[in-house]
Each structure stands twice: as structure tokens, then as C-alpha cells.
Amino acid sequence: MGRAIDLFVTYRFIKLLVTPFEKTDAFKLGIIDEDGKRILEPGTNKPTTLRTTAEYSAYTVLHKLVFNIKKIFNKVPGLRTKLGTYAAALFLLKDTFKESVDDPDIFEKEFMKYLKEEGYEIDDAISEEVIGFGEVLPKGEYTLANDILSQEEEELTAKRGDKVAAYDDEAPIDTILGVDIFPVIHLKTQEKIYVGLEDLNQ
């Protein structure tokens, strides 16, 4: 049974990753636009309310996270500069679905397979500008070098240039795509977000 669930979730993940926004049910139902952004209620900053079973099925937590990964992917001129951001996004997927799958690394494996099939090469070299050495994120305040996904928000609220803080020296809570993942607090929203060291500037 667990293997069947793994295969189903993997299939859904990859299918969403490779399907253009305008061909998704979420687009057809008016939940997102052709760029994957939520449609807003007229005259407001609030996303349209999901009302029907079909709408809820077309925009689940999995859809939201994968759509946000795709939005980041569409901005990428070079893969290595966003690798930490992808790793943090995949960590959110892993954390969200850890109770639903037998293999918690399934998203990382499938994402790597997808990149290879699409002809992307990942350079394992570490940037000289990366803070620390991957063993710990020193206590302090940092600036985001990339947009970062949130598990709770509809859109990317943690933007490049925003301030974040580590209130203590932080050890990595996971390693995804060879990138250590650290929790930090987004100062504007006071929300915990997850980053790789290459997502931060001092």
C-alpha cells in the first residue's frame, strides 16, 4: 500500500511539474492565471475563494507548493544559483507529505531525475560567497538572495532583499540536493521559513 501511495504522489508531483500552468485544472477553473499566480477577487488583494469540490481538488497543498517551485524555475537563468531555493522548496514538500509516503526522499529523487531528463546539470561547487561552511548558520541578521517559498502563503511573501534572522546558531535540519537546510525567521511576517546558505547574504 505504501509503495502505491509513493508512486501516486510521485506521479502527481512530476505531472504538475511538467504541465504548463494554462493546461492545469486550476487555470481552467479560474484559480490561477497563465503565470501560476492566484486570481484575486475583483477590487481586493484576496485570492478567489475555493467553493466547489473540483476547485479544492485542483488547488491542494501539493499544487500550491509545486506551482511555486515552477514560478521560481521560470525565473532561473542558471540552475546553481537557485539550487538552495529548490532544496528549501523540496524540503517543504517532504515535510508536508512525510506522513503520506514511505520514502520521504521521493521528491528529491524525482526532481533530480526530472532535471537530468531535461538536460540540466548541477554544479556541486560551493560558491565562495556562501556564509559559513554548511555546518552551522551563525546567529545574526541576513538578507535573502532569492525569493523563498512558504508552506502557508499563497504567493511568495519572502522576497529577495527581505531581512531574515537566526536568533541562535542554527544547525541544518535536513540536507536536500546536497544543500543543508536551515530555519530562519522572516522579519516582515515573523514567519519561519527554510533556506539554504546560498539563499542568504550578510
Side-chain angles (χ1 to χ4, degrees):
M1 182 66 178
R3 177 64 177 159
I5 293 173
D6 279 5
L7 290 171
F8 175 72
V9 173
T10 301
Y11 169 76
R12 297 274 290 158
F13 170 59
I14 293 300
K15 189 171 189 299
L16 285 172
L17 196 62
V18 301
T19 302
F21 288 122
E22 64 271 19
K23 292 188 177 180
T24 64
D25 289 339
F27 176 80
K28 295 171 184 175
L29 291 170
I31 299 169
I32 62 170
D33 64 16
E34 66 275 7
D35 297 316
K37 295 181 180 177
R38 279 298 303 272
I39 302 291
L40 302 179
E41 295 282 1
T44 74
N45 276 338
K46 295 182 178 179
T48 54
T49 303
L50 304 181
R51 294 183 173 85
T52 68
T53 302
E55 288 174 339
Y56 279 107
S57 296
Y59 198 70
T60 64
V61 172
L62 179 63
H63 288 86
K64 180 171 71 173
L65 289 171
V66 176
F67 288 170
N68 281 335
I69 289 173
K70 283 162 62 71
K71 282 185 280 186
I72 291 175
F73 202 86
N74 289 341
K75 297 179 181 179
V76 179
L79 185 62
R80 179 65 200 175
T81 59
K82 298 290 187 183
L83 189 57
T85 307
Y86 287 127
L90 290 170
F91 169 77
L92 289 181
L93 277 168
K94 177 179 177 179
D95 189 57
T96 301
F97 292 97
K98 62 189 174 190
E99 304 297 329
S100 304
V101 296
D102 282 346
D103 181 3
D105 297 322
I106 195 166
F107 298 109
E108 180 181 358
K109 292 173 184 174
E110 289 301 318
F111 188 67
M112 290 296 289
K113 181 179 173 184
Y114 167 74
L115 292 179
K116 186 175 181 181
E117 289 173 352
E118 294 297 309
Y120 290 99
E121 294 293 332
I122 293 180
D123 178 8
D124 290 331
I126 300 299
S127 169
E128 292 181 3
E129 298 176 5
V130 168
I131 297 161
F133 297 98
E135 297 172 2
V136 67
L137 175 63
K139 175 181 177 180
E141 191 171 293
Y142 302 93
T143 302
L144 290 177
N146 301 305
D147 294 348
I148 300 295
L149 297 184
S150 161
Q151 207 160 13
E152 303 298 328
E153 300 297 326
E154 299 289 347
E155 293 297 327
L156 304 173
T157 54
K159 301 281 192 177
R160 180 179 180 174
D162 285 358
K163 298 289 186 182
V164 298
Y167 292 120
D168 293 294
D169 289 350
E170 294 285 356
I173 58 171
D174 205 343
T175 301
I176 308 287
L177 302 176
V179 174
D180 288 332
I181 303 297
F182 299 88
V184 293
I185 300 300
H186 181 233
L187 295 182
K188 188 182 293 184
T189 62
Q190 289 300 300
E191 180 185 5
K192 182 186 288 185
I193 60 173
Y194 300 94
V195 298
L197 293 179
E198 290 191 346
D199 292 317
L200 300 175
N201 293 320
Q202 282 185 313

